[in-house]
Amino acid sequence: MTFIQSVPQHALQIIGAVGALFLLLILSAKNDRKWVAICTLIFGASCGIAYATFRDTGPFAEIAFATALLVAGIATLSLLGILFFKVILPLIGFTPPRILQDVSVAMIHLAWGIFCLQAYGVSLAGILTTSAVLTAVIGFSMQDTLGNILAGLAIQTDHSIRVGDWIKIDDINGRVVETRWRFTAVETRNWETIIIPNSVLMKNRFLVLGRRGGEPLQWRRWVWFNVDYRYEPSKVINAVTEALQKAEIQRVAKEPKPNCVMMEFAESYGRYAARYWLTDLAVDDPTDSEVRTHIYAALQRIGIPLSIPAHALFVTDDTEKHRAAKTERDREHQYQVLKGVALFHSLNEKELRQLAASLQEALFARGDIITQQGSVAHNLYILEDGLAEVVLLNDGLSKKVAELKSGDFFGEMALLTGEPRRATVLAVSPVKSYRLDKHSLQAVMNARPVIAEEISRILAQRQSELNSILHNLDEEAKAKRLASDQSDILGKIKNFFSLE
Ligand code: CMP
């Protein structure tokens, strides 16, 4: 008795086994449930047809029975394929490429088809050899398909493209989501899916973005900007390089460090590029945009604007009177800002106006480090708009000490005592601030040295908060140290500003 003839006798066992397989796959191969259900349905329908035609001896019934058997076998083999590739292999830690699964299952289906044909006395080899035309037609039409299958297998086995890679082919730029037997699917950032025949990938040159042997996945980006020739290139390069290297910008790699280069002497401006390494290739434009805001803020802080095209014509009524009125408005605003700062509550109007005249605007982008713990101080800052955090680095751990918002001041401890910065202040949103240097404060304090006492009280309060974190002080110990801290700080201020 042949295998095919014995199938009806074992029908119940086979149906039971496929039923059990169905349950197993529904529970374990969650991503393939739909396909499992379709295969099982086809199997059930084929069994129904086989049962109905089994006892019938007519020629039509015989063909229907054989076809049902063939289809039921294909459905069963598909389920077994899912079991093997999607359940068993992943269980032992191996996830084969999709194309390998597709091709293996297709080969097994083909083998089953040939086996069934032979069981019914049809010799495929005979048909193919006797019908040269059929062989030629099949061979010809399969040429492209076979080319794609082989190219797909080659791409997958030599790892030239892996699922998840970002590739650029022609002007298409996207992430590889899967390689099937005929094509490789690439998803772009614009939510398009590009279907690229495997043979095209095999024959053409393509770029795998951000991949370099032994290095983490990161891709160098170029952010261009122009600055007028009036400003020294070395100043621009240093300011931008330093700002980008110091800032905490999401998705910008720390190594290799970002840098800035001057790339061209253009018509009326120098053309610069900031280069950085992007760690998440899916978020390129938003990260470029973050980097641009840092470039803009870094240049603003040293008084360098981005260039305006030489042919642009600005017509403003910028008379002497107009300029004076604008300066007056700015001064008044700065005076109002200073008036609201606790540190300067002991200053009178004249002193505040004197300080207001020397305030300078300083912009920071999110992630910029405004003051770095341990560094030398040149300015104190008054935060006009935005949010910043005071972070203390202790024993390799960083701890948030305070949050600073509009109207708060910072950077006074080091500027007034001459000591290194006690903490790091980080911009957690875009920050607009005013800065004040020692020279401007010196003039005011020289005229009325008693100001130093009021200021030292505020400094001592902040100092005690830092000490309680650094030395784990309780409230009582903190209060005890406050008075001695204040006289200590006052001494330092007087000494640093050479006050009587
Ligand atoms: P400076 O040491 O110059 O630089 C870091 C700044 O963080 C410091 O001055 C203070 O302005 C600020 N800072 C430190 N501790 C506190 C705190 N407890 N509350 C608010 N700001 C603080």
Side-chain angles (χ1 to χ4, degrees):
M1 186 192 297
T2 65
F3 172 73
I4 295 285
Q5 283 164 342
S6 71
V7 166
Q9 287 177 13
H10 300 105
L12 282 180
Q13 285 99 314
I14 294 172
I15 291 171
V18 172
L21 187 58
F22 167 74
L23 285 178
L24 180 70
L25 292 178
I26 285 291
L27 292 176
S28 52
K30 294 202 171 87
N31 292 339
D32 295 275
R33 275 181 182 163
K34 201 169 143 195
W35 188 229
V36 169
I38 291 172
C39 289
T40 314
L41 268 177
I42 292 174
F43 174 82
S46 308
C47 287
I49 294 171
Y51 180 73
T53 50
F54 171 50
R55 301 213 181 273
D56 210 330
T57 48
F60 173 74
E62 215 171 308
I63 293 174
F65 178 76
T67 311
L69 222 55
L70 174 78
V71 175
I74 288 176
T76 312
L77 289 169
S78 298
L79 291 175
L80 285 171
I82 297 172
L83 178 71
F84 184 67
F85 286 109
K86 297 289 174 68
V87 181
I88 297 176
L89 288 185
L91 264 184
I92 56 171
F94 176 60
T95 312
R98 178 68 195 249
I99 189 166
L100 196 71
Q101 305 173 26
D102 289 350
V103 171
S104 322
V105 172
M107 300 293 274
I108 292 169
H109 286 168
L110 190 69
W112 170 247
I114 294 172
F115 175 77
C116 287
L117 284 175
Q118 278 179 342
Y120 280 93
V122 185
S123 162
L124 195 66
I127 297 174
L128 288 179
T129 43
T130 47
S131 169
V133 176
L134 188 65
T135 314
V137 169
I138 291 176
F140 199 65
S141 58
M142 291 287 284
Q143 212 177 19
D144 274 354
T145 312
L146 274 175
N148 281 325
I149 293 174
L150 292 177
L153 280 172
I155 288 168
Q156 290 274 315
T157 40
D158 68 6
H159 294 306
S160 45
I161 291 184
R162 282 170 262 179
V163 169
D165 276 348
W166 283 85
I167 64 164
K168 184 169 171 23
I169 178 163
D170 301 330
D171 55 350
I172 298 164
N173 192 324
R175 188 160 50 101
V176 175
V177 283
E178 63 175 347
T179 297
R180 303 290 296 264
W181 56 275
R182 197 182 67 77
F183 62 81
T184 294
V186 174
E187 283 178 358
T188 71
R189 295 185 185 86
N190 295 337
W191 282 53
E192 301 140 339
T193 301
I194 320 267
I195 304 296
I196 308 173
N198 291 331
S199 55
V200 171
L201 286 174
M202 186 80 172
K203 284 183 207 146
N204 292 291
R205 196 174 63 165
F206 55 84
L207 290 177
V208 180
L209 305 180
R211 198 205 289 172
R212 178 182 267 210
E215 299 287 342
L217 179 80
Q218 46 196 23
W219 183 34
R220 189 166 81 166
R221 303 277 302 168
W222 294 65
V223 178
W224 297 91
F225 62 97
N226 305 327
V227 173
D228 197 280
Y229 286 130
R230 277 174 297 166
Y231 304 99
E232 237 178 89
S234 62
K235 270 195 182 165
V236 175
I237 292 170
N238 290 345
V240 171
T241 304
E242 193 189 325
L244 294 182
Q245 290 187 358
K246 271 171 64 180
E248 295 289 331
I249 315 175
Q250 263 190 355
R251 302 175 292 273
V252 173
K254 287 280 172 213
E255 271 315 320
K257 291 185 175 59
N259 57 43
C260 173
V261 282
M262 187 188 195
M263 293 299 291
E264 193 190 336
F265 288 122
E267 224 172 278
S268 62
Y269 48 75
R271 196 153 159 65
Y272 296 82
R275 287 104 51 96
Y276 75 92
W277 277 258
L278 176 69
T279 55
D280 181 351
L281 275 62
V283 198
D284 56 350
D285 291 340
T287 314
D288 285 357
S289 162
E290 280 277 307
V291 168
R292 278 187 201 103
T293 60
H294 281 267
I295 295 171
Y296 180 87
L299 292 177
Q300 185 280 338
R301 291 198 293 275
I302 54 167
I304 297 183
L306 291 171
S307 97
I308 295 164
H311 54 265
L313 186 62
F314 287 85
V315 184
T316 39
D317 185 13
D318 200 11
T319 58
E320 202 56 46
K321 209 170 120 210
H322 179 265
R323 254 182 309 206
K326 184 172 181 316
T327 312
E328 187 54 36
R329 269 201 311 275
D330 288 350
R331 292 273 156 81
E332 182 57 29
H333 175 69
Q334 288 163 357
Y335 163 70
Q336 293 300 339
V337 170
L338 281 184
K339 220 171 131 184
V341 175
L343 188 69
F344 301 126
H345 275 174
S346 59
L347 270 64
N348 60 33
E349 183 176 343
K350 186 170 159 253
E351 288 158 346
L352 284 175
R353 289 203 182 273
Q354 189 182 337
L355 278 189
S358 49
L359 281 189
Q360 283 194 335
E361 196 180 89
L363 300 181
F364 295 91
R366 183 178 44 198
D368 264 335
I369 291 187
I370 308 176
T371 72
Q372 177 101 51
Q373 188 171 338
S375 66
V376 178
H378 300 291
N379 298 291
L380 72 76
Y381 296 84
I382 294 140
L383 201 154
E384 210 212 340
D385 197 17
L387 283 177
E389 272 178 11
V390 181
V391 180
L392 185 66
L393 197 72
N394 189 21
D395 285 341
L397 294 174
S398 58
K399 189 167 183 343
K400 185 170 129 187
V401 179
E403 237 171 18
L404 302 169
K405 54 184 187 326
S406 172
D408 287 341
F409 62 92
F410 59 93
E412 77 298 343
M413 286 181 160
L415 185 82
L416 293 169
T417 59
E419 293 183 337
R421 296 274 190 211
R422 306 279 164 83
T424 290
V425 178
L426 180 79
V428 289
S429 77
V431 162
K432 181 180 172 195
S433 69
Y434 287 110
R435 64 182 173 209
L436 199 59
D437 59 12
K438 183 188 169 199
H439 180 72
S440 318
L441 275 169
Q442 178 90 58
V444 175
M445 296 235 261
N446 279 350
R448 205 155 60 88
V450 74
I451 292 171
E453 269 182 48
E454 178 63 30
I455 288 179
S456 67
R457 239 193 307 278
I458 295 173
L459 259 68
Q461 189 63 41
R462 285 189 168 182
Q463 166 84 40
S464 86
E465 275 166 44
L466 288 182
N467 281 342
S468 69
I469 293 174
L470 281 173
H471 310 298
N472 262 335
L473 300 183
D474 58 19
E475 283 306 311
E476 199 185 333
K478 217 168 121 183
K480 262 191 202 160
R481 280 188 68 154
L482 193 60
S484 70
D485 277 353
Q486 191 190 336
S487 78
D488 186 32
I489 289 170
L490 183 58
K492 282 179 186 161
I493 297 178
K494 281 184 168 172
N495 185 27
F496 190 50
F497 281 80
S498 313
L499 302 177
E500 282 302 309

